Amino acid sequence: MSLSAQLWSDNSDLADEVLTHPFVCGLGDGSLPRERFAGYLAQDAFFLESFARAYALALSRSPDTPTLLVLADLIAGVREELGLHASYADSWGIEMSDVRPLAATSAYTEFLLATAATQQVGVIYAAMAPCMRLYAWLGQSLDAGRAGPYTQWVQTYADPEFEGIARLLEGLLDSQADDTPVVRNAYRRAMRLELAFFEAAFHGA
């Protein structure tokens, strides 16, 4: 089993907590209050900007040309996600400027940027891979036909293209990270922060 697959398997408890969280269940059946989704969308856009910066920090230290090109593709993937957010914002009249991050958002972005600035690239990938794998898994696990106003959200993350992007990042993790406590702790920490992010989005604080 690859390192990325092993780490995902070892953190399946947290993945299951996210899938059964009321926020995600509300996305899946379309019952999530609109204002909760609007708040989540703004926070996630703020988060994604930091995610792109973490990719850029990894790119600046990429050991070879193939890695550099993969990271460039991953940054382009963030742009596509931000496009989804902009589409919802335009159609729903959601204000996305001057977002003030919630504590859970700040905790996650600070973790990512600190990791990207101070750790080896393998640890950086371990800190970033859970986000990509989790969202691909959520999209594939939810039923877009039941999601109502959130159908586009589910379809975006269920799309095979997003799965391919997640695998690109996992490929970097598998090829450039060792199975060490630091790598495992970074992955686990990111999964916990994902859960906290959805919890904060559900409660709006």
Side-chain angles (χ1 to χ4, degrees):
M1 183 182 291
S2 67
L3 177 58
S4 61
Q6 185 65 58
L7 291 170
W8 173 249
S9 176
D10 290 347
N11 287 275
S12 62
D13 58 325
L14 293 174
D16 288 339
E17 282 193 59
V18 173
L19 182 61
T20 58
H21 191 278
F23 185 93
V24 175
C25 290
L27 281 174
D29 64 14
S31 67
L32 183 72
R34 179 177 177 140
E35 65 273 14
R36 289 288 179 256
F37 184 73
Y40 156 82
L41 209 64
Q43 293 294 311
D44 199 44
F46 182 93
F47 166 81
L48 284 171
E49 291 182 7
S50 293
F51 205 73
R53 290 186 179 96
Y55 273 143
L57 287 168
L59 185 149
S60 71
R61 295 155 60 192
S62 58
D64 50 50
T65 300
T67 300
L68 185 151
L69 295 176
V70 169
L71 286 165
D73 288 342
L74 289 168
I75 292 173
V78 175
R79 182 177 60 190
E80 295 299 318
E81 283 192 78
L82 287 170
L84 168 69
H85 292 55
S87 175
Y88 267 111
D90 289 344
S91 61
W92 288 21
I94 300 170
E95 179 56 53
M96 300 285 279
S97 61
D98 299 323
V99 177
R100 298 185 63 180
L102 298 175
T105 307
S106 293
Y108 202 170
T109 57
E110 289 168 7
F111 162 72
L112 282 178
L113 293 175
T115 300
T118 64
Q119 298 292 330
Q120 297 296 317
V121 289
V123 182
I124 300 172
Y125 303 143
M128 300 185 74
C131 177
M132 301 297 293
R133 173 49 54 205
L134 179 66
Y135 270 69
W137 183 68
L138 291 175
Q140 295 162 21
S141 299
L142 299 175
D143 181 357
R146 298 180 59 235
Y150 309 118
T151 295
Q152 185 184 5
W153 189 95
V154 175
Q155 290 175 335
T156 294
Y157 295 112
D159 194 296
E161 286 191 14
F162 191 84
E163 170 68 23
I165 294 171
R167 289 187 179 181
L168 283 178
L169 180 52
E170 289 175 332
L172 293 179
L173 174 60
D174 291 334
S175 65
Q176 299 183 33
D178 296 319
D179 189 353
T180 65
V182 174
V183 164
R184 286 184 168 273
N185 288 341
Y187 198 102
R188 184 75 175 177
R189 175 67 173 155
M191 288 292 291
R192 289 190 182 280
L193 288 165
E194 284 288 345
L195 179 58
F197 189 88
F198 283 113
E199 179 70 9
F202 183 70
H203 292 291

